[in-house]
Amino acid sequence: VVNFIGNLETANGKKEGKVKEQYVQYEVCPDCQGTRLKKESLWFRIADKNIGELSAMDIRELSAFLEGIEERMTGRQKAIATEILKEIRTRLGFLLEVGLDYLSLNRGSRTLSGGESQRIRLATQIGSRLVNVLYILDEPSIGLHQRDNRRLIEALKQLRDAGNSVIVVEHDKEMIISADHIIDIGPGAGRLGGLIVA
């Protein structure tokens, strides 16, 4: 919930084009408790957790929660959830592969870094099973722990092995060593760069 506080006019009496942060106050919605879902959606539960609580978990935690979840379901719930759970687990697996296990599903897209957004799109592409596609990624390893970097490299190799071409603009040594071909461009940047060195 966003509340506008005070007078939105400047000292000379003109209206502000944009609402300044000093005039905005954020509050948690009393109905949805910040989940941004209708209260009716929160009535349904799986193992005592509603969709709002599940989407607040990070991907690693959610993946662990869903392991063996069928054992805590009734026969009717299993019949309904079998295909859905299979799809959810597959998609979570792709996100884990590209090193996004620390993100939660309810995270706003505006709060994601460029590298995180790029890796989410990469996970989607891995799941789509497309072939004969050219992928160009700009420094996808930024901000990644070395362990997650290795998982990202494996995910890129999966895309390559599926019959795609993957071009990565990268400065990470491990990513460069893992490449099939390396093109070194420079020296300099911007208008001074662009020469193929090696």
Side-chain angles (χ1 to χ4, degrees), residues 94-107:
F94 295 143
L95 291 168
L96 290 168
E97 280 179 36
V98 296
L100 293 172
D101 53 345
Y102 59 90
L103 289 181
S104 60
L105 297 179
N106 65 357
R107 174 110 172 246

Side-chain angles (χ1 to χ4, degrees), residues 12-196:
N12 62 7
K14 291 184 180 174
K15 294 278 184 191
E16 283 288 318
K18 285 185 175 178
V19 177
K20 298 213 180 238
E21 278 300 312
Q22 68 193 51
Y23 298 115
V24 178
Q25 176 183 334
Y26 294 93
E27 295 178 12
V28 175
C29 170
D31 289 334
C32 74
Q33 297 299 315
T35 62
R36 295 174 298 206
L37 297 166
K38 289 168 125 181
K39 60 183 177 185
E40 292 84 3
S41 302
L42 301 175
W43 291 342
F44 299 94
R45 296 183 165 274
I46 298 175
D48 294 327
K49 294 206 180 288
N50 64 38
I51 190 170
E53 293 166 322
L54 294 173
S55 61
M57 294 178 174
D58 65 44
I59 291 168
R60 185 187 319 107
E61 188 182 2
L62 180 58
S63 184
F65 174 82
L66 292 176
E67 286 299 316
I69 192 76
E70 289 88 351
E71 295 165 13
R72 295 180 272 174
M73 294 177 142
T74 65
R76 184 171 182 267
Q77 287 174 324
K78 284 181 193 174
I80 294 168
T82 300
E83 288 303 313
I84 297 168
L85 284 172
K86 182 179 169 187
E87 184 68 22
I88 289 171
R89 286 183 179 128
T90 302
R91 289 176 186 249
L92 289 176
F94 295 143
L95 291 168
L96 290 168
E97 280 179 36
V98 296
L100 293 172
D101 53 345
Y102 59 90
L103 289 181
S104 60
L105 297 179
N106 65 357
R107 174 110 172 246
S109 59
R110 290 180 318 199
T111 67
L112 298 171
S113 72
E116 288 168 339
S117 296
Q118 196 170 210
R119 290 196 301 275
I120 287 172
R121 288 193 297 275
L122 178 61
T124 303
Q125 292 302 315
I126 293 169
S128 70
R129 310 260 185 241
L130 291 174
V131 294
N132 298 323
V133 175
L134 170 64
Y135 293 97
I136 302 174
L137 297 113
D138 184 17
E139 298 190 89
S141 70
I142 285 181
L144 273 184
H145 185 279
Q146 208 59 38
R147 174 197 69 234
D148 296 324
N149 196 28
R150 282 189 284 276
R151 284 167 32 196
L152 174 61
I153 290 167
E154 288 309 311
L156 292 173
K157 286 181 176 179
Q158 279 181 43
L159 273 180
R160 177 202 63 193
D161 295 345
N164 300 296
S165 298
V166 182
I167 296 175
V168 182
V169 179
E170 189 59 84
H171 299 98
D172 177 73
K173 181 180 177 182
E174 192 171 6
M175 185 78 74
I176 293 168
I177 290 170
S178 301
D180 296 322
H181 305 281
I182 301 167
I183 301 172
D184 192 0
I185 299 176
R191 64 183 180 81
L192 302 174
L195 300 175
I196 295 178

